[in-house]
Amino acid sequence: MANQKGGVGKTTTTVNVAAALALAGQRVLVVDLDPQGNASTALGVSHHEGVRGIYDVLIDAIPLDEVIQASSSVDGVWCAPSTVDVVGCEIELVGLDEREFRLRSALRVHVSEERGASSGTNTGSDNVTDNGRRYDFVLIDCPPSLGLLTINAFAAATEVLIPIQCEYYALEGLTQLVRSVDLIQRHLNPELRISAILMTMFDARTRLSAQVAAEVREHFGALVLATSIPRSVRISEAPSHGETVLTYDPNSVGALSYREVAIELTRQPLAAR
């Protein structure tokens, strides 16, 4: 989940899509790369000072097995938490070998069939999927920047989902993001694709939201998911309770919308769009 603009719903989308997928029977790993650690909070995962997290994986090459925790609020979701130390990652990564590929290396080891079948940890390795892997989905919550943390995510992923807020400046900076993905594709990760765009904070009462949504659909066509996420007090309240909206208020319009998004993501492989 990536967009260098802040406040567009990346973290909210990450945790609620993860919850919706898990409630539909999927096994999901969330990698929290945002120094704010909001995804970790929403999933009820400890990320206070002293807790091992994604910083230790990227900087000290600690195996993901040793930092991943099961979500306390959603069965079927695990999280590699972000701690306050992640603030320094951008600087510390600069001097490290393979600085763009450290997340990819860690993920490939962790989700491989061999480790998934043989590990004795309690991080989800005993929940091997039918295809022999630990997870059905790995979701990476990126920070609001195009620095080394996001580059690590792009180098590790195969698909990018871009949340776009239904506001006037929705498309501002998107050209830069598309260009960055293109550069990563050509130089670091040829498998990477922008495969879906999700309209967030849609307000059906305003003409502006409809205009922005229409403009985004005109520019990006089938990449734009049919479901839009409405503005919702329940979605905003849920993280303060250490929950996603799917568990906080499962019958709310926000929860139902994220369930629809999950259905879209599982019904058709994004790369086929």
Side-chain angles (χ1 to χ4, degrees):
M1 311 291 184
N3 191 326
Q4 75 271 28
K5 288 181 66 64
V8 300
K10 289 186 297 294
T11 298
T12 299
T13 295
T14 301
V15 299
N16 284 296
V17 167
L21 290 169
L23 290 172
Q26 306 294 308
R27 298 183 179 93
V28 185
L29 171 64
V30 173
V31 178
D32 189 355
L33 285 185
D34 192 335
Q36 298 177 84
N38 292 335
S40 305
T41 298
L43 294 173
V45 169
S46 299
H47 61 106
H48 54 77
E49 187 174 358
V51 171
R52 278 185 166 183
I54 200 64
Y55 171 89
D56 303 277
V57 173
L58 296 176
I59 303 302
D60 297 326
I62 298 297
L64 273 167
D65 300 62
E66 298 183 19
V67 308
I68 287 174
Q69 304 175 42
S71 169
S72 65
S73 59
V74 188
D75 290 337
V77 176
W78 291 265
C79 178
S82 174
T83 62
V84 66
D85 297 321
V86 175
V87 171
C89 266
E90 296 282 359
I91 296 174
E92 295 185 55
L93 280 169
V94 171
L96 299 180
D97 294 335
E98 298 288 303
R99 63 187 182 185
E100 299 95 348
F101 301 106
R102 296 178 76 85
L103 178 60
R104 183 171 76 176
S105 297
L107 276 172
R108 284 185 173 180
V109 170
H110 180 68
V111 304
S112 68
E113 180 177 353
E114 290 77 19
R115 288 184 65 88
S118 62
S119 174
T121 64
N122 60 357
T123 60
S125 57
D126 54 336
N127 294 309
V128 180
T129 63
D130 291 340
N131 63 12
R133 297 188 178 276
R134 293 183 176 187
Y135 311 105
D136 298 292
F137 289 86
V138 177
L139 307 181
I140 305 174
D141 184 30
C142 295
S145 71
L146 293 176
L148 276 171
L149 286 172
T150 300
I151 290 174
N152 262 267
F154 285 169
T158 55
E159 300 176 7
V160 181
L161 187 152
I162 305 173
I164 295 182
Q165 186 178 3
C166 291
E167 296 290 352
Y168 182 73
Y169 294 113
L171 297 178
E172 186 177 89
L174 192 55
T175 300
Q176 183 182 1
L177 178 59
V178 172
R179 186 180 301 117
S180 297
V181 171
D182 181 62
L183 286 172
I184 297 295
Q185 184 184 51
R186 286 191 282 120
H187 298 289
L188 298 177
N189 182 6
E191 296 181 357
L192 188 66
R193 299 287 187 277
I194 295 176
S195 53
I197 294 173
L198 174 65
M199 303 299 301
T200 63
M201 304 179 200
F202 183 85
D203 190 342
R205 300 169 299 178
T206 68
R207 182 178 298 176
L208 177 61
S209 283
Q211 289 175 338
V212 171
E215 186 173 355
V216 172
R217 293 185 189 281
E218 180 182 351
H219 278 81
F220 295 99
L223 286 178
V224 185
L225 297 178
T227 304
S228 298
I229 304 301
R231 286 194 178 276
S232 167
V233 173
R234 292 303 197 191
I235 292 177
S236 301
E237 288 177 345
S240 66
H241 297 269
E243 295 189 56
T244 68
V245 73
L246 276 296
T247 54
Y248 178 67
D249 190 349
N251 295 317
S252 65
V253 64
L256 296 176
S257 296
Y258 274 113
R259 286 182 184 272
E260 288 297 321
V261 170
I263 290 172
E264 284 196 67
L265 298 183
T266 54
R267 181 175 294 163
Q268 179 181 4
L270 295 184
R273 292 177 177 271

